[in-house]
Amino acid sequence: MRNRIFFKLLAAFVVVIAAATVTLDFAVRRAWEASLRGEIERNLRQKTVMFANRVNTDRQHGLQDVASQEGQAAGTRATIIDAQGKVLADSEADANSMENHAHRPEFVAALKGEVGTDTRRSHTLGIPFLYIAAPISGGAVRLAYPLSDVEAATARVHRTLLFGSGLAFVVALIVAGIAAHLTARRLQRIVQFAERIAAGELAARIAEGSGDEIGQVAAALDRTAHQLETSFVALQTSQRQLETLLNSMQDAVIAVGADRRVQWANQSMDRLVPQGSRLSAPVVETVRDPDFLRAVRNASEGGKASTTRAGSILPGRTFEVTAAPMPGGGAVAVLRDLTETERVEKTRRDFIANVSHELRTPLTSIQGYTETLLDTAPGGNHSREFLEVIRKNATRMSRLTEDLLTLARVESGEQRFDVQPVTSGELLQDAVQSFHEVARSHGIELQVEDTAQAQVGADRDAVHQVFANLVDNAMKYGASGRRIVLGARTSQSGIEFYVRDFGPGIPSEHLPRLFERFYRVDKARSRESGGTGLGLAIAKHIVLAHGGTIRAESELNHGSTFLFTLPPAGAQQEAQS
Ligand code: ADP
């Protein structure tokens, strides 16, 4: 790698330097040659014109003497011809033996009255000459300068230039080689640094001091590595915190990938399964419960969180499994052991049911005897009054035990509901028929506002009990409104029934707790009106057992509305299957 970059840079430098050297050599040589030739030509031209002047004016010397003197003075060959081209005198040859020069290009121009120039190789000497001819009266003169001198000088300059260029080339090559080597070494360091980061060594730093582009790249990489390290440390810390948190949980937690393999499990999960949870193993090998596996599959594929009960994870134990989809695929499931809670709850329910059951007979007996005594007791003394108090309290206790028994039955699931398709109108009609008279006797008008006319799946008697509790409450606590409205309407989860009164209403802070057992907004008022504090709790459990929901809305001084939903007919069977 290092060699590749080094040689590439070096090759690029060599090409640039070579091109510069050749261009320089060529351009300088050409310019120098051109300037030398120009100078020689100008010189020779002047000398030729002066030679022509002398021939025209010198009457003392013969033509041969003039040619010899001028040729010597100019360091050239001097020739004089007549208008026909016949050579009259020549500084270096016998004029008589020389051929006619009328057709030499420089003489052709001179005989026309101009200064003629030509460069060609001499027939006699075989070397190139620069010929310049000028007109004289009755002919022309010519000076011939041997260009071999110029060529020799040019060759010398060329050699000097070549040597200089070669030297510069070598120096430039060494400098370029060093620069390429240094650049390649810096790039190599950056590559090694990037490789260390890629290998996970996030603490690595490159620390390039230079501020050039390579230095800037290195500094940017350094910053990136620093940020990566910081983020990674933060990520590791939060992951460790999360692991500690999950491991300290009582509940078992297991994360399953989209491929249904175990990705992670906390220590509670490891303790739960006898063989421990093996990472990357199929989840079915860790937990074989079908309800658990279905919840995980639904969360992973359907993307919906769900809660279910699983009874076969461990023999004799029941778990509540909450599975939720994980971002990026797969699901995470939390398993809560309900066995102990359910056992305690069952013990509590059984105790309440048993106590209520045991109280039933003595209470009936007390009520019976009190009534008998009341029938026979003479009036006027306090005993009748006391008996009245005993009867009233016995009746209240009896109602309480009945309510407790009903609640225990509904809560425990012992009470089987006979769910049948029934129209919302029929249910409302049942309620109105039963309470119409009682309401009227209290001076309250009972109205049905809307019946929705849809079929719901319901146990008619149980729903009647819900209406009874709600209408009874509306009469007890909302009688001042003088009107109670019943109705039904379609909602997202089925049919929503409501009982609305126009009494004093309920302060909003009480609304969330209204359906708890024994929760009363005004205890004295409730007791006074014979309430047990269990009516709404019973209503809630009946509605929940039907797969519905119940809630209350209220506005102070404007009344309260109790609303419960029942699923459409057939929905319960579908949900069960
Ligand atoms: P209770 O036997 O006391 O009526 P419930 O469970 O039926 O018990 O009701 C719980 C409490 O909710 C009541 O004590 C009463 O304070 C309040 N409540 C119920 N219905 C109404 C209503 N329609 N208007 C005002 N308060 C109500």
Side-chain angles (χ1 to χ4, degrees), residues 473 476-477 501 506 514 519-521 526 531-533 535-536 562:
N473 280 350
K476 276 192 297 192
Y477 307 108
D501 67 64
I506 306 165
L514 276 187
Y519 190 84
R520 281 170 274 204
V521 178
S526 164
T532 59
L536 289 180
F562 286 78

Side-chain angles (χ1 to χ4, degrees), residues 256-259 263 300 325-331:
V256 182
D259 57 355
Q263 278 187 347
S300 179
M326 271 201 299

Side-chain angles (χ1 to χ4, degrees), residues 396 399 403 469-479 499-507 510 513-527 529-539 552-554 559-562:
R396 203 171 115 67
R399 242 196 334 264
D403 277 358
N469 292 3
L470 298 181
V471 174
D472 185 44
N473 280 350
M475 288 194 291
K476 276 192 297 192
Y477 307 108
V499 176
R500 179 176 300 138
D501 67 64
F502 301 87
I506 306 165
H510 295 288
R513 300 196 59 194
L514 276 187
F515 298 92
E516 291 175 13
R517 334 180 168 87
F518 298 115
Y519 190 84
R520 281 170 274 204
V521 178
D522 182 346
K523 280 202 172 63
R525 173 88 195 273
S526 164
R527 266 199 210 101
S529 56
T532 59
L534 294 172
L536 289 180
I538 292 172
E553 289 173 357
S554 182
S560 316
T561 308
F562 286 78

Side-chain angles (χ1 to χ4, degrees), residues 101-422:
H101 275 41
H103 299 295
R104 301 289 198 274
E106 66 280 4
F107 275 129
V108 172
L111 289 176
K112 283 185 192 156
E114 295 161 8
V115 176
T117 306
D118 190 32
T119 303
R120 64 177 181 276
R121 207 163 275 279
S122 148
H123 290 303
T124 36
L125 297 173
I127 54 168
F129 273 87
L130 171 65
Y131 297 99
I132 296 187
I136 55 170
S137 52
V141 294
R142 182 184 79 177
L143 288 180
Y145 182 82
L147 286 178
S148 52
D149 290 358
V150 178
E151 278 181 354
T154 308
R156 258 198 325 278
V157 168
H158 185 51
R159 270 197 305 280
T160 313
L161 263 175
L162 261 187
F163 178 73
S165 297
L167 199 67
F169 181 77
V170 171
V171 171
L173 199 64
I174 291 169
V175 171
I178 292 170
H181 172 73
L182 290 178
T183 308
R185 208 169 62 178
R186 289 172 71 195
L187 288 173
Q188 180 67 17
R189 280 188 64 212
I190 293 179
V191 170
Q192 281 168 356
F193 166 70
E195 276 168 358
R196 284 168 70 194
I197 296 290
E201 206 185 318
L202 297 180
R205 294 289 177 271
I206 190 159
E208 254 272 348
S210 158
D212 61 10
E213 281 83 350
I214 295 180
Q216 284 172 12
V217 168
L221 281 175
D222 251 3
R223 281 198 301 279
T224 310
H226 177 71
Q227 264 171 11
L228 261 178
E229 192 188 12
T230 315
S231 314
F232 191 69
V233 168
L235 202 71
Q236 269 184 329
T237 311
S238 68
Q239 191 182 347
R240 270 199 294 272
Q241 284 171 344
L242 193 69
E243 266 178 32
T244 314
L245 184 82
L246 289 170
N247 279 331
S248 64
M249 276 172 69
Q250 289 275 312
D251 297 344
V253 182
I254 185 166
V256 182
D259 57 355
R260 297 286 147 66
R261 287 175 184 275
V262 177
Q263 278 187 347
W264 188 85
N266 70 350
Q267 287 168 359
S268 300
M269 187 72 214
D270 285 341
R271 283 194 295 271
L272 195 70
V273 280
Q275 74 282 13
S277 50
R278 278 189 301 118
L279 299 189
S280 302
V283 64
V284 66
E285 288 177 12
T286 304
V287 184
R288 293 177 198 274
D289 184 281
D291 295 311
F292 166 86
L293 293 171
R294 194 177 308 118
V296 168
R297 195 180 54 231
N298 287 347
S300 179
E301 288 174 5
K304 274 193 283 179
S306 65
T307 301
T308 185
R309 290 163 80 85
S312 46
I313 293 176
L314 281 182
R317 305 196 80 82
T318 309
F319 288 87
E320 182 189 68
V321 179
T322 302
M326 271 201 299
V332 63
V334 180
L335 290 81
R336 171 165 295 175
D337 192 345
L338 294 181
T339 320
E340 192 55 20
T341 323
E342 286 198 338
R343 195 187 61 75
V344 173
E345 185 65 15
K346 186 169 180 327
T347 311
R348 185 190 62 79
R349 266 199 317 265
D350 288 353
F351 175 75
I352 294 172
N354 289 339
V355 169
S356 309
H357 194 73
E358 291 302 321
L359 285 174
R360 223 179 185 181
T361 320
L363 277 171
T364 317
S365 165
I366 293 170
Q367 268 179 295
Y369 281 112
T370 319
E371 266 155 31
T372 314
L373 283 174
L374 268 171
D375 287 346
T376 54
N381 58 10
H382 284 300
S383 57
R384 199 177 169 80
E385 199 181 309
F386 295 158
L387 280 172
E388 209 37 85
V389 173
I390 294 172
R391 189 183 66 88
K392 205 173 151 198
N393 278 299
T395 310
R396 203 171 115 67
M397 278 182 77
S398 167
R399 242 196 334 264
L400 193 63
T401 52
E402 284 309 317
D403 277 358
L404 278 172
L405 272 172
T406 309
L407 185 60
R409 266 201 312 274
V410 179
E411 240 186 330
S412 66
E414 271 169 34
Q415 178 155 350
R416 294 269 151 233
F417 293 109
D418 180 20
V419 177
Q420 298 289 343
V422 54

